[in-house]
Amino acid sequence: MIGVVALFEVRDALLDAIAAARAQQLTIVTAFSPAYDPRIEAAVGVPRSAVSAWTFAGGVAGAIGGMAFTIWTVRQWPILILGGKPLVALPSFLIVAFESTILIAVCAALAGFFAGGRAMRRVARAAYERTDDAQRSNGMARGSILSRLVAFAAVTVLAQTACDWPWQHDMADQPSRPAAAGPRSPAAGAVATGGSLPIRPEVAERQLRADIAARSAVEAGSKLYAAYCAPCHGPHGRGDGPVAREFAPPMGDLTGDLTAPDVQRHADGWFYAVITNGTEHMPRSAHELDPSERWQIVRFVRTLGAYRQ
Amino acid sequence: MAATDPDVPSVSSLPLPVALRRVTRDVLATLEWHTPGWLAYWGAVGLCFFLWSLALLVWAYQIYSGLHITGLLHPVMWGAYITTFVFWIGIAHSGTLISAVLFLFRARWRTSIARAAETMTIVAIATAGLFPILHLGRAWRFYWLIPYPNERGLWVNFSSPLIWDAVAVGTYFVASVLFWFLGLIPDFASVRDHTAGWRGWIFGRLAVGWRGSAHEWRHFRSAYAVLAGLITALVISVHSIVSWDFAVAIVPGWHSTIFAPYFVAGAVFSGLAMILTLVVPGRVLLGIREYVTDDHLEQVAKLIVAVSLIVTYSYASELFFAWYRGEPAERSQFLFRAAGAYAPLVWLAIVCNSIVPLAFLRRAARRSPAVLFAISIAINIGMWTERFVIVVASLAHEYDSYSWGRYWPTAFEWTVLLGSVGWFLFWFLLIIGHIPSVPMAETKEHLITPASAEAADS
């Protein structure tokens, strides 16, 4: 049971009463005074205040936080006009960290003061005022504040994860490919129908089809064939062109005879790749014939096979 | 019953319980609606309101029309606004000196003016904080100064002294407000205990449940001493950082290592003068003449002489640097200040800051309220002029002679300057008139434990 024991007009009477109460083994809870009085403090036996500990912790937090914040921000967006000075400029950042040390230390000191006072609040209020509802309201107040804080924290976290907030998107993170990044590497097994990527006949055979219209392609292809291929392969693809007569071994090879079933069994893409890359004996023609022209030749070569059969 | 305490002569000869009650009664009487000086008080508040609303109109016009209505033009791009910013921050320093630094030195005489000094500090910082925004052409973009993750993908540049300014002044404001509030808690509790109705309820909330138990006093003393120490370190850093706005540039007349101590000394100097300007008439207006005695004002005057000598030394060192270093641009700048277009202002500053305060070496001058007030006004004018010269004359006369120029503030800038004075006085009067203007708890502490007993205890 806590209550006001007595009111004193004069400080010495209070001190005498404290001494007398101690002599009777009574517990001195506290004494109230209108101003700070070192003698009353000594008589009551007040424990040390934790404010300095709070302040020290706050100062350390402020120092670390200040340095960390400045260094982190400058590294996160390092495009600053520095004039040759280092990106992490310690003299400047130390100034900011010093101010932040003081700021957090000051706030921590106040927090420590309120925390220390809160412990005494219940006792002090019950003793100081002659009403009892102080005890009720204190307990209720503490519980409701805590539950409100927990509810607030829960709502904030939930809202952060549940909704799509603008600050969760950084425009720097784009699914698109920036222009400066250069061309992508092709997917595995991709076959180039144009451009300069290497084309493997086995792959091209499986994956490449001629995309161009048939009839006009065959006509155009026949003209191109006559110009580029006939000198070796002959006008009908038999390997009897005027240049092939000079070949040793002769171009009577199966692959030399474009009309042979062993040749015609290959898919269009294989022909396209052979024309593009060349072979051991045949020069490549990618540099002279663009992709659509090569496809036209492929179409024409198909008709050679049909012709024979 | 001890001998009369010179710090609280009016009540210290009374028996202690009577004296304590008298302190409470006298200070609470200043919070009444109809104190003797209430007409003058509200008249002053009204006049200040008029001044700053005029400045608000000028600022609105500036946002509408642009910064060309000021005198700012190449090469002088910092003018009256920056000068006034530095001026007000400087004034804030003295409040902290009196309330925090002198507390650490156990100077008991500071108690009577500590509340006014702390209030002056927070209002001066708030006034100064307006000026970086006033100085912006696109004032609505001021939030770019705040470091927070934003959709612009930008952080502030922590290598810039302007950002150091923002951090330092912000920290100073928060720390000063918290320190001021902490010291007020026991006094708010006193008001709460003696006031009924809604006013008692307001002071009750402000008093955050203070009951004055020995435990609470322990926490209070700890927190107050710790905050005083921290704020002392802070106050030295703040005006050093403001001075580095200038010193880190290569402008001749700015690029000098003496700037940090020079500015801090100047800040303390101008703040002490502003305290006299506020307290000499204020103690009559608020009815606390018995508590803010001529002895206390004399102590402030002695401090003013001491700091004036430091400021004079800084001027002399500038002369020495200009001669010793031999750098042509710096010598040219110095001669320009001595004999150029701004020379009258330079000599005005020297007279007001170095010569006039020497009058306080005479005891009669220190004890006369009229002389105290007059010299404090002279020092205020001198310090503003000195800041103006530092900012403007250096920019007007840099390295390249074809870039030399002149700057004079326009009527708009003068209106804003006067409006800032009105803003400062408006908020100062309103706040100090509605809180206990003398620290009751500390005054009672001095009555309970007289200086002789304190010395005996320790």
Side-chain angles (χ1 to χ4, degrees):
Chain A
M1 155 124 164
I2 296 169
V4 177
V5 177
L7 290 169
F8 300 92
E9 281 270 313
V10 180
R11 191 254 313 264
D12 290 338
L14 167 68
L15 294 175
D16 290 341
I18 291 178
R22 284 204 194 284
Q24 292 183 29
Q25 311 296 325
L26 292 171
T27 313
I28 305 294
V29 178
T30 190
F32 299 91
S33 58
Y36 171 69
D37 193 334
R39 295 220 175 133
I40 294 180
E41 184 180 277
V44 171
V46 178
R48 275 184 65 91
S49 168
V51 164
S52 346
W54 279 75
T55 313
F56 182 74
V60 169
I64 295 175
M67 281 311 294
F69 184 64
T70 47
I71 294 178
W72 178 74
T73 58
V74 85
R75 287 174 64 90
Q76 208 201 30
W77 194 70
I79 313 173
L80 273 181
I81 302 168
L82 295 170
K85 303 185 193 74
L87 186 71
V88 176
L90 277 180
S92 315
F93 295 174
L94 278 173
I95 292 173
V96 176
F98 175 77
E99 299 299 326
S100 140
T101 306
I102 303 277
L103 179 67
I104 308 298
V106 164
C107 295
L110 256 286
F113 167 74
F114 283 118
R118 190 169 281 282
M120 271 317 288
R121 194 72 50 77
R122 192 165 172 274
V123 171
R125 197 176 284 175
Y128 195 87
E129 280 159 346
R130 293 183 182 106
T131 56
D132 277 339
D133 48 354
Q135 296 182 3
R136 251 186 327 196
S137 56
N138 237 342
M140 264 187 348
R142 201 180 320 134
S144 72
I145 286 175
L146 191 61
S147 62
R148 273 181 215 161
L149 272 177
V150 168
F152 176 74
V155 166
T156 311
V157 170
L158 192 66
Q160 183 75 5
T161 49
C163 307
D164 184 31
W165 298 102
W167 52 79
Q168 287 168 336
H169 300 285
D170 187 348
M171 264 182 72
D173 299 327
Q174 294 272 0
S176 63
R177 196 167 177 76
R184 290 180 195 268
S185 38
V191 179
T193 60
S196 59
L197 289 179
I199 180 168
R200 289 169 51 207
E202 319 77 73
V203 180
E205 177 172 21
R206 286 195 302 278
Q207 293 181 318
L208 216 46
R209 299 272 177 271
D211 274 339
I212 54 181
R215 196 178 310 164
S216 56
V218 171
E219 276 179 38
S222 72
K223 295 194 178 70
L224 290 168
Y225 178 89
Y228 289 93
C229 315
C232 293
H233 287 284
H236 302 292
R238 294 292 178 80
D240 52 356
V243 177
R245 281 202 282 274
E246 310 300 322
F247 285 170
M251 213 170 161
D253 238 16
L254 283 177
T255 53
D257 187 345
L258 289 174
T259 62
D262 280 339
V263 176
Q264 286 288 337
R265 68 177 167 78
H266 291 294
D268 290 350
W270 185 87
F271 283 98
Y272 179 86
V274 165
I275 296 170
T276 304
N277 294 341
T279 63
E280 306 164 311
H281 306 293
M282 172 174 143
R284 70 182 194 282
S285 50
H287 57 290
E288 325 185 273
L289 295 167
D290 67 33
S292 57
E293 289 170 331
R294 288 177 240 155
W295 281 119
Q296 287 160 357
I297 296 177
V298 168
R299 280 266 181 242
F300 177 72
V301 167
R302 278 285 182 234
T303 60
L304 292 178
Y307 177 74
R308 173 192 174 135
Q309 287 151 7
Chain B
M1 194 183 323
T4 307
D5 187 344
D7 290 328
V8 202
S10 55
V11 296
S12 57
S13 53
L14 301 169
L16 188 58
V18 180
L20 295 181
R21 284 207 198 90
R22 185 69 62 84
V23 169
T24 309
R25 191 200 72 180
D26 288 342
V27 178
L28 288 183
T30 67
L31 295 176
E32 293 294 318
W33 285 112
H34 279 263
T35 53
W38 75 271
L39 191 61
Y41 174 81
W42 287 108
V45 169
L47 175 66
C48 294
F49 176 78
F50 170 72
L51 279 178
W52 72 254
S53 38
L54 208 60
L56 187 67
L57 288 174
V58 167
W59 185 46
Y61 179 60
Q62 179 186 293
I63 294 184
Y64 166 74
S65 183
L67 273 174
H68 69 93
I69 65 168
T70 66
L72 294 171
L73 196 63
H74 180 81
V76 181
M77 301 312 288
W78 280 0
Y81 289 158
I82 298 294
T83 304
T84 313
F85 165 74
V86 178
F87 177 71
W88 285 117
I89 296 278
I91 284 186
H93 277 54
S94 207
T96 309
L97 169 83
I98 287 191
S99 64
V101 179
L102 290 181
F103 170 81
L104 294 176
F105 281 111
R106 303 269 184 267
R108 292 165 65 108
W109 61 265
R110 77 178 244 291
T111 300
S112 60
I113 53 174
R115 184 75 26 86
E118 283 165 24
T119 310
M120 178 186 85
T121 290
I122 62 178
V123 180
I125 302 174
T127 309
L130 297 173
F131 277 88
I133 303 179
L134 277 172
H135 196 256
L136 286 178
R138 299 179 299 180
W140 55 91
R141 298 270 173 95
F142 75 95
Y143 62 91
W144 285 2
L145 271 179
I146 306 171
Y148 70 98
N150 52 60
E151 83 286 0
R152 305 183 291 279
L154 296 176
W155 291 101
V156 300
N157 183 1
F158 285 112
S159 296
S160 162
L162 304 181
I163 298 298
W164 307 337
D165 256 1
V167 173
V169 171
T171 303
Y172 191 30
F173 185 66
V174 170
S176 298
V177 168
L178 291 178
F179 186 58
W180 171 84
F181 179 70
L182 179 71
L184 269 168
I185 290 176
D187 289 354
F188 281 148
S190 262
V191 181
R192 170 199 65 196
D193 290 342
H194 289 86
T195 313
W198 60 273
R199 296 172 80 214
W201 182 85
I202 292 179
F203 280 103
R205 303 314 275 179
L206 287 170
V208 290
W210 177 265
R211 291 293 185 268
S213 67
H215 296 72
E216 287 167 278
W217 279 117
R218 183 99 198 222
H219 292 305
F220 176 83
R221 291 275 295 179
S222 256
Y224 198 84
V226 148
L227 282 188
L230 287 171
I231 285 192
T232 303
L234 179 65
V235 78
I236 296 171
S237 74
V238 169
H239 223 73
S240 303
I241 289 172
V242 171
S243 79
W244 292 334
D245 280 342
F246 310 110
V248 299
I250 57 170
V251 174
W254 281 3
H255 197 55
S256 172
T257 49
I258 197 152
F259 258 51
Y262 174 18
F263 268 54
V264 173
V268 167
F269 184 52
S270 68
L272 287 170
M274 184 56 86
I275 282 188
L276 282 183
T277 307
L278 292 173
V279 168
V280 167
R283 63 179 184 163
V284 174
L285 200 63
L286 292 168
I288 50 174
R289 212 180 174 298
E290 290 180 348
Y291 291 90
V292 184
T293 63
D294 291 344
D295 290 327
H296 302 148
L297 298 180
E298 184 179 355
Q299 299 293 94
V300 175
K302 288 183 195 170
L303 270 180
I304 285 182
V305 176
V307 188
S308 165
L309 292 172
I310 300 178
V311 170
T312 307
Y313 169 79
S314 303
Y315 293 160
S317 67
E318 280 197 313
L319 166 65
F320 175 70
F321 290 154
W323 169 78
Y324 184 70
R325 189 168 164 219
E327 212 256 337
E330 195 172 346
R331 281 195 181 171
S332 170
Q333 163 68 221
F334 193 82
L335 292 172
F336 171 70
R337 286 196 196 179
Y342 296 106
L345 294 178
V346 174
W347 292 106
L348 175 69
I350 292 178
V351 165
C352 287
N353 297 337
S354 300
I355 299 175
V356 164
L358 294 177
F360 281 149
L361 289 171
R362 287 178 53 105
R363 191 171 182 277
R366 296 198 297 267
R367 309 280 311 180
S368 157
V371 175
L372 286 166
F373 186 76
I375 293 186
S376 72
I377 297 287
I379 294 174
N380 282 326
I381 293 175
M383 282 310 298
W384 190 92
T385 308
E386 183 223 70
R387 303 283 191 243
F388 181 86
V389 163
I390 290 175
V391 172
V392 172
S394 306
L395 289 174
H397 198 88
E398 290 194 41
Y399 293 95
D400 293 322
S401 52
Y402 62 81
S403 288
W404 290 346
R406 296 288 174 267
Y407 161 85
W408 293 105
T410 59
F412 296 110
E413 289 169 290
W414 290 120
T415 310
V416 170
L417 167 61
L418 278 178
S420 78
V421 175
W423 171 271
F424 171 78
L425 285 175
F426 177 79
W427 289 110
F428 176 79
L429 286 172
L430 277 184
I431 294 175
I432 203 73
H434 291 84
I435 61 170
S437 42
V438 172
M440 286 190 279
E442 266 192 59
T443 310
K444 292 176 188 172
E445 187 183 324
H446 294 327
L447 289 170
I448 291 173
T449 314
S452 51
E454 188 178 295
D457 276 344
S458 56

